Amino acid sequence: MTDRATGFQHGLTNYGDKDFSLYLRRSFASSMGYSRAMLAKPVIGIAYTGSGFNNCHRHFPELLDAVKRGVLAAGALPVEFPTISLGEVFLNPTSLKFRNLMSIDTEEMIRAQPMDAVVLMGGCDKTVPAQLMGAVSAGLPAIMLVAGPMMTSRHNGERLGACTDCRRFWAQYRAGKVSDEEISVVEGRLATTAGTCAVMGTASTMACISEALGMILPGTAAIPAVHADRLRAAEATGAAAVKLIGSKFTPDKIVNKKSVENALRILLALGGSTNAVIHLTAIAGRAGINVSLEHLNELSETTPVLVNLKPVGNGYMEDFFAAGGMGALMRELEDLLHLDCMTVTGETLGERLAAKHDPFVDRTIIAERTKPLEPKGGLIAVFGNLAPKGAILKRSAADAKLFENEGRAVVFSSLADLAARIDDPNLDVEPNDVLVLQNAGPNSVDAMPEAGYLPIPKKLATKGVKDMIRVSDARMSGTAFGTIVLHVTPDAASGGPLGLVRTGDRIKLSVKEKRIELLVDAAELKKRAAAAKPPAEKPTRGYAKLYAQEILGADQGCDFAFLKPH
């Protein structure tokens, strides 16, 4: 324990008179109905992100009650406080633009308000990384509580879950194989409970990464949102937060080089979301740790894909939970992990995995190490003159027939250009071409949306074409699939070579060599660069101005430069 003041006596408002500050604070706190006994207790802050614009967090009022129950039973006072909440499909232009804003909100409210430890309640894609980024920077003892995934629904006897099935049905609809009437019915059956997407999308990937980092309670990453165990996990999280008071197990200590490598191993074994590379890079960056894409490739060569969930496999998160969850997966990879990493409960990862557990593992969902779904990791980075600082490919969700390929570029200069021309029956495009989207990266006006999952041109989709090589500086949803090269860095809007590609150029992709090359000579590229139009005028006020001034590339997690430690 430290000797600093605790509870409402900590971090007094500055009036130039400490005793008056405490007197005034107690007076105002009394107006909320707290007894003197309660006001004397240590305080557990609860960063609360319930919002009418965030369907993933619909069940948070009930979860909040459970957290408070755990805190009170452990002898502290729970005090929730609101922060920004990022509902993935309710934000324009994209939720990533506001992740750093949420991280600032989280960090500053943890630091400014009188709390001894904090519970971070998040779940939707960008909320978990934003909270972890803020908590690492704030340096106060913290523990994460994730929302948990949705349960699946049914359509004509088939299981449905957001959002891989969303994309599958929409592709069939675009190809003319699903009617207007059926797509309307499907729309109402894709997301039917509280919680995050039911597949191994970004939200579920970040929940699993949080457990791999040691920032949540063991066994809690995959509990469905509507399961009673999710409430029990919330109660236990509240109690665990009380134990953290005065401890050295702060997020900036738990997130270290070894635990980040563990998280990368888990990401690869999950066949998880490409977005997680950006988020983990940003979280690690707040602790002064660099995530190298070259190192990601090294780990990918020795980490098999073991989890059979959509979009890589066939199952859903409820199946992963029932199959043994993160504990079963990490025990399968035990010899590859740093078992001496400390976790938020004060035990090492090795101690966690050695603890008593249900020995059952459903091998249709979590494969044995000796019988992997894929022998190598789900993600790789590719480099070359088109992506000098790297790009990401989710090979476990791609078509292996396209892994060694050269094709003609069909270029879309922006999202508006893509929307205007992709379904034009006169579009000059063939199945073996490479679709290229420019100006959709972090420095663009669109702030790196999940637009990298370029639709198959309608004239090809109706003929049965299901996959093509697609290249962009954008992201894609963790629920998406296809042979898609993303996060091309530097991005086009910052002057990267992606912006120099022209329709008709040849592009070569080699997964084996981890290369992506624009087959245009350097002199021609230099000539194009000299003739390039000046960048668009930057915003002049508000958060948009701050974003434009401070945003870093995908290789640095798209964090703000001034938020990195010095």
Side-chain angles (χ1 to χ4, degrees):
M1 297 291 286
T2 65
D3 57 2
R4 71 160 212 171
T6 60
F8 282 125
Q9 299 180 69
H10 166 63
L12 291 171
T13 308
N14 191 354
Y15 294 106
D17 183 337
K18 182 178 178 182
D19 291 335
F20 173 74
S21 297
L22 181 57
Y23 157 78
L24 197 61
R25 177 173 288 178
R26 281 199 302 251
S27 175
F28 277 73
S30 295
S31 75
M32 294 187 283
Y34 292 124
S35 66
R36 286 293 178 93
M38 278 293 176
L39 290 177
K41 289 182 178 294
V43 170
I44 299 298
I46 305 170
Y48 184 68
T49 56
S51 168
F53 289 108
N54 195 334
N55 62 289
C56 299
H57 296 188
R58 174 164 64 87
H59 58 313
F60 271 29
E62 190 177 26
L63 273 185
L64 177 63
D65 286 343
V67 174
K68 288 183 172 181
R69 191 164 67 232
V71 171
L72 287 166
L77 175 62
V79 181
E80 81 270 20
F81 60 97
T83 71
I84 292 168
S85 183
L86 305 177
E88 186 64 22
V89 301
F90 295 96
L91 289 159
N92 177 271
T94 177
S95 61
L96 183 64
K97 183 172 183 177
F98 305 102
R99 183 203 64 184
N100 297 346
L101 182 62
M102 183 178 175
S103 80
I104 294 171
D105 186 4
T106 303
E107 174 185 347
E108 298 303 336
M109 289 303 97
I110 290 173
R111 185 178 287 118
Q113 297 175 133
M115 64 191 76
D116 302 294
V118 61
V119 174
L120 308 165
M121 291 182 64
C124 196
D125 292 15
K126 309 306 177 291
T127 64
V128 171
Q131 289 183 316
L132 289 176
M133 290 161 69
V136 169
S137 295
L140 191 77
I143 184 169
M144 190 90 219
L145 173 66
V146 294
M150 296 180 195
M151 300 291 281
T152 52
S153 183
R154 298 292 185 277
H155 174 67
N156 294 344
E158 178 187 0
R159 291 171 80 191
L160 286 188
C163 199
T164 301
D165 295 327
C166 313
R167 301 174 193 285
R168 178 169 58 86
F169 271 94
W170 191 252
Q172 291 175 8
Y173 174 66
R174 283 175 49 78
K177 297 177 181 178
V178 168
S179 67
D180 290 349
E181 182 179 339
E182 185 176 7
I183 200 69
S184 179
V185 172
V186 168
E187 181 181 307
R189 294 176 177 174
L190 286 163
T192 55
T193 77
T196 56
C197 286
V199 298
M200 191 54 75
T202 303
S204 293
T205 302
M206 292 310 303
C208 292
I209 280 178
S210 297
E211 188 164 336
L213 285 171
M215 282 301 301
I216 65 176
L217 292 181
T220 63
I223 304 169
V226 296
H227 198 295
D229 280 354
R230 176 57 59 195
L231 293 173
R232 284 184 275 271
E235 182 182 304
T237 299
V242 178
K243 292 182 180 178
L244 280 170
I245 294 173
S247 81
K248 61 183 179 181
F249 305 125
T250 51
D252 53 315
K253 302 295 192 301
I254 291 171
V255 176
N256 55 49
K257 189 174 181 179
K258 287 183 176 180
S259 68
V260 168
E261 184 170 298
N262 286 345
L264 285 170
R265 288 274 191 198
I266 292 302
L267 170 61
L268 294 164
L270 291 168
S273 170
T274 51
N275 284 306
V277 178
I278 288 178
H279 297 321
L280 186 57
T281 299
I283 294 164
R286 293 295 184 93
I289 299 157
N290 177 55
V291 174
S292 157
L293 293 183
E294 288 86 357
H295 187 47
L296 172 72
N297 281 342
E298 291 170 9
L299 296 176
S300 195
E301 289 300 301
T302 56
T303 310
V305 178
L306 299 179
V307 178
N308 180 22
L309 297 193
K310 292 185 176 186
V312 171
N314 300 310
Y316 295 87
M317 281 300 291
E318 64 195 66
D319 303 318
F320 184 55
F321 172 63
M326 279 294 294
L329 176 62
M330 288 195 287
R331 279 186 283 272
E332 205 64 40
L333 297 169
E334 201 161 351
D335 63 302
L336 296 178
L337 301 175
H338 298 287
L339 301 178
D340 57 339
C341 286
M342 193 58 66
T343 71
V344 77
T345 53
E347 60 191 343
T348 65
L349 178 61
E351 288 168 339
R352 273 194 177 188
L353 298 182
K356 185 178 179 182
H357 60 274
D358 185 346
F360 171 75
V361 179
D362 183 347
R363 291 303 181 187
T364 66
I365 299 297
I366 302 173
E368 293 180 73
R369 179 90 163 273
T370 55
K371 301 175 184 177
L373 272 70
E374 301 284 346
K376 296 181 180 180
L379 306 179
I380 60 165
V382 294
F383 299 87
N385 70 339
L386 190 55
K389 293 186 178 180
I392 298 294
L393 171 70
K394 190 172 183 176
R395 64 179 168 189
S396 59
D399 185 347
K401 293 192 290 291
L402 298 174
F403 281 6
E404 307 299 319
N405 202 76
E406 181 186 318
R408 181 186 70 126
V410 176
V411 179
F412 301 92
S413 62
S414 66
L415 285 168
D417 184 34
L418 175 70
R421 294 195 295 125
I422 192 68
D423 287 339
D424 185 340
N426 295 316
L427 180 68
D428 180 12
V429 64
E430 299 294 336
N432 59 345
D433 288 340
V434 177
L435 303 182
V436 176
L437 172 63
Q438 300 168 327
N439 296 303
N443 288 280
S444 73
V445 294
D446 295 302
M448 205 179 188
E450 291 185 342
Y453 181 69
L454 277 67
I456 302 298
K458 199 164 191 175
K459 66 184 291 184
L460 300 181
T462 54
K463 295 178 181 177
V465 176
K466 294 181 179 179
D467 196 10
M468 298 173 69
I469 296 176
R470 286 157 274 182
V471 180
S472 76
D473 46 12
R475 298 176 298 116
M476 76 173 181
S477 168
T479 64
F481 46 88
T483 310
I484 302 173
V485 179
L486 302 148
H487 312 177
V488 171
T489 307
D491 67 349
S494 64
L498 181 70
L500 305 179
V501 184
R502 301 291 180 261
T503 294
D505 290 346
R506 305 291 293 180
I507 292 175
K508 182 178 181 180
L509 172 68
S510 173
V511 171
K512 181 180 179 181
E513 297 178 7
K514 300 181 178 64
R515 302 292 297 174
I516 185 162
E517 299 285 349
L518 176 60
L519 304 181
V520 175
D521 66 62
E524 172 61 20
L525 293 178
K526 189 174 181 180
K527 182 179 175 183
R528 291 179 188 180
K533 295 178 182 178
E537 195 172 313
K538 297 288 187 182
T540 57
R541 66 170 301 279
Y543 179 67
K545 180 180 180 180
L546 177 66
Y547 177 93
Q549 284 178 178
E550 297 293 333
I551 191 67
L552 296 169
D555 59 319
Q556 296 187 69
C558 298
D559 202 356
F560 286 164
F562 77 96
L563 295 176
K564 303 270 279 187
H566 295 288

